[in-house]
Amino acid sequence: MLSDILFGMVFEPAATLRKIGEEKPVFLALLVYLIISLINLPLSRGILLLQNTSPSVYKPHWFWIFGGIGLFFCFLGLFFIAGLYSLLSEIIYKKGNAAGILAGFCFASFPGILGLACQYGAMLLDLERVGFLCSFLAVLWMMVLQVLALREALDIRSSQAVLLFVAPVLLLLILLALLFWVFYTGTSLIK
Amino acid sequence: MKKKIVVMALVVFLLGMTALAVKNSGGYDGAGNMGTVAVIEINGFLGETGSGSLLQSSFTSAEKIMEAIRTARERKDIKAVVVRINSPGGTSVAAQEVGMELDRLRKSGKPVVTSMGDICASGGYWVACSSDLIVANPASLTGSIGVIMEFNNLEGLYQKLGIRPEVIKSGAYKDIGSSARPLSPEEREILQQVVGDSYEQFLEQVEKGRQGKITRAELQKIADGRIFSGKRARELGLVDKLGNYYDALDLARKMSGLGKDSPVETLNTGGFWDSLINNVLAPSLLPRGDFVKMKY
């Protein structure tokens, strides 16, 4: 089952994400996400050390402390974003599937960690630009998978999934514009 | 079956890279490199913060040097240390403090190699004796094993200026070394004993640091304050090898089992502002004649 999903995430993402959206293997997905997050820590540290850019890695304990906190917030963010997408989808398309989105997003992070591993390997071989490209492509791939996860879990069209995917950012921009407007008119009134 | 093989290959690759990252990170922890050679520079007169002056052309704070040595001891990525000395000496206490810290560093298992610059004499040589290996250039000046205590008798000047210092003291020797009068024979004797005691400590330090390379009797013959070229010092057993800074780095790498390309990091890169702050913050803008200073 797990090997099918992981294989599918790489070679047959749409069909696999559809299955995940239907079956909602939340526990398995969270377990995979936890393992991916744990693997992410030493790999990120290795990359930072090779790049020699982050002074916080000078003190190993700080890295692990920040890593642990980061892990906690990653999970928090995952639940939040899955809930938010489901809520937005219910409002916009009258369809919700928070558990399906959550499971899909967990598995969608698998290529991301592969990209990070490739980046580390490339950096060890002194191919820093190739490593950066690997990581960049993996992030793009992850985003595509997340859009696919939304499409398959909510059974919507691709364009609708893309719109939903960018909706939180759009909402944030609208909120900021609103705040700016309120602040601007408020200060105008004071004059 | 094919799926399982592909997934297995991906997982193995992932775990392999992670294991590599964990393994490599164990040796890093510092400057982002696996196994670093640290360089600690001692340039100019070695003294405690505030003991130098702005009029002194070059001064190194012992505290800063000790801080750098501690950093080298604490950082796991630093595997060896090269102390680059270009100093004519310093105060007795500063040299001893730095030497002690270097001894602790060596006890932690990290080899210490001294690389002599133009001059590594007196207090500088005291510090060098706390390293595992001393590398000098054939033309480096070293030696000057001895102790000196000096101060000025300004009695004549005070008289010309009409200054007559009044001294109220609790004991006969409380104003020993006063610039307002000459030394009494008793005072001279007391100070000579202090200098003699300090000189004995210097001999012990050299004896300890150069064990098996120079005997006490041989040392006493040459420890009269004279200086030697690096080449002559090598013949006498005061120095281990002749070579330059890069030879010292290579020896440090070899002693710690590091590769030829292992990076080098200078731990105390203080500049003009450091020196200015050291001296301005401490009340010693001008050379002080307040009390005698014993120097190696």
Side-chain angles (χ1 to χ4, degrees):
Chain A
M1 169 67 177
L2 183 61
S3 63
D4 286 344
I5 293 176
L6 293 180
F7 181 87
M9 290 309 296
V10 183
F11 299 103
E12 301 155 354
T16 311
L17 284 165
R18 190 177 310 125
K19 206 175 163 193
I20 291 169
E22 285 164 5
E23 293 178 3
K24 305 180 187 84
V26 176
F27 179 73
L28 185 66
L30 286 173
L31 190 70
V32 167
Y33 189 72
L34 178 70
I35 293 167
I36 287 171
S37 305
L38 288 175
I39 289 174
N40 177 57
L41 281 176
L43 279 177
S44 300
R45 180 154 191 261
I47 289 168
L48 283 172
L49 286 165
L50 286 176
Q51 286 172 333
N52 193 14
T53 49
S54 171
S56 62
V57 298
Y58 285 20
K59 301 277 182 192
H61 56 278
W62 280 117
F63 181 84
W64 299 120
I65 288 169
F66 286 132
I69 295 168
L71 203 70
F72 173 74
F73 281 104
C74 270
F75 271 86
L76 205 68
L78 186 73
F79 277 87
F80 174 77
I81 205 76
L84 182 68
Y85 277 131
S86 184
L87 182 67
L88 285 173
S89 173
E90 278 204 45
I91 294 167
I92 304 168
Y93 309 122
K94 312 286 180 220
K95 289 173 182 175
N97 183 2
I101 295 171
L102 182 79
F105 274 28
C106 285
F107 284 112
S109 58
F110 179 60
I113 198 72
L114 282 178
L116 212 60
C118 286
Q119 186 184 3
Y120 184 69
M123 286 179 82
L124 284 180
L125 296 170
D126 257 347
L127 302 167
E128 199 151 331
R129 286 184 182 183
V130 175
F132 177 75
L133 193 69
C134 285
S135 213
F136 180 69
L137 289 176
V139 169
L140 280 184
W141 189 10
M142 263 174 63
M143 286 168 77
V144 170
L145 287 179
Q146 284 174 345
V147 173
L148 280 177
L150 287 177
R151 190 186 76 178
E152 300 304 330
L154 298 166
D155 196 19
I156 52 178
R157 289 197 308 275
S158 296
S159 55
Q160 289 176 318
V162 171
L163 185 70
L164 185 63
F165 187 69
V166 296
V169 181
L170 288 176
L171 265 177
L172 196 72
L173 286 175
I174 291 167
L175 260 173
L176 281 173
L178 209 67
L179 270 172
F180 180 75
W181 180 76
V182 168
F183 178 75
Y184 181 75
T185 49
T187 48
S188 302
L189 283 173
I190 291 166
K191 280 176 191 170
Chain B
M1 189 63 188
K2 184 191 153 198
K3 283 182 187 176
K4 279 189 179 169
I5 292 170
V6 172
V7 170
M8 193 67 90
L10 288 176
V11 171
V12 166
F13 168 69
L14 204 56
L15 292 178
M17 282 298 144
T18 310
L20 215 58
V22 171
K23 183 180 169 281
N24 290 349
S25 301
Y28 282 82
D29 287 351
N33 298 298
M34 183 186 277
T36 303
V37 178
V39 173
I40 296 169
E41 292 178 347
I42 301 178
N43 293 315
F45 183 83
L46 181 63
E48 304 290 323
T49 301
S51 63
S53 73
L54 275 184
L55 299 182
Q56 208 154 28
S57 59
S58 175
F59 169 79
T60 296
S61 153
E63 285 91 337
K64 296 265 178 196
I65 302 292
M66 288 193 290
E67 202 180 307
I69 297 169
R70 287 224 152 198
T71 305
R73 204 173 80 199
E74 283 162 10
R75 269 178 50 182
K76 284 182 188 165
D77 66 306
I78 292 174
K79 307 291 183 196
V81 175
V82 169
V83 186
R84 175 73 173 172
I85 304 177
N86 196 7
S87 167
T91 66
S92 311
V93 173
Q96 288 188 352
E97 286 205 308
V98 172
M100 273 181 211
E101 213 52 42
L102 280 178
D103 288 338
R104 284 177 195 147
L105 175 66
R106 283 161 70 206
K107 267 185 196 161
S108 74
K110 295 182 181 179
V112 177
V113 175
T114 289
S115 164
M116 290 187 180
D118 285 332
I119 185 163
C120 175
S122 205
Y125 187 69
W126 173 295
V127 173
C129 283
S130 283
S131 57
D132 296 295
L133 203 78
I134 303 176
V135 180
N137 290 288
S140 295
L141 292 179
T142 188
S144 187
I145 299 166
V147 185
I148 182 168
M149 184 187 275
E150 55 184 349
F151 52 92
N152 300 311
N153 177 3
L154 304 177
E155 191 181 15
L157 180 66
Y158 287 166
Q159 274 173 5
K160 280 181 185 166
L161 294 172
I163 299 169
R164 215 179 65 190
E166 296 290 352
V167 178
I168 295 110
K169 53 187 178 181
S170 58
Y173 303 115
K174 191 59 192 161
D175 66 339
I176 193 167
S178 166
S179 59
R181 59 178 179 79
L183 275 180
S184 70
E186 295 79 21
E187 285 173 336
R188 190 172 288 277
E189 178 58 29
I190 289 169
L191 293 176
Q192 187 60 53
Q193 276 174 15
V194 174
V195 167
D197 180 48
S198 192
Y199 174 66
E200 186 56 35
Q201 290 173 34
F202 202 155
L203 291 181
E204 281 167 15
Q205 164 74 354
V206 178
E207 208 180 354
K208 192 179 82 182
R210 308 297 302 158
Q211 240 168 14
K213 291 156 188 167
I214 189 167
T215 63
R216 177 77 176 210
E218 287 167 340
L219 179 63
Q220 273 173 329
K221 276 185 205 164
I222 57 166
D224 52 7
R226 73 179 81 173
I227 56 167
F228 308 98
S229 68
K231 190 170 171 250
R232 179 76 185 124
R234 164 88 178 80
E235 289 162 7
L236 292 168
L238 294 175
V239 162
D240 293 295
K241 283 183 189 299
L242 293 179
N244 66 9
Y245 170 65
Y246 294 103
D247 293 320
L249 286 176
D250 285 343
L251 283 164
R253 285 187 181 110
K254 203 174 166 187
M255 287 164 77
S256 56
L258 288 175
K260 274 185 180 177
D261 299 325
S262 51
V264 176
E265 186 186 340
T266 305
L267 295 182
N268 59 329
T269 44
F272 170 76
W273 292 109
D274 265 351
S275 164
L276 191 73
I277 289 163
N278 275 342
N279 293 299
V280 171
L281 288 182
S284 60
L285 272 171
L286 292 166
R288 291 181 299 187
D290 51 0
F291 198 72
V292 285
K293 211 182 280 177
M294 193 162 59
K295 294 181 282 189
Y296 287 136

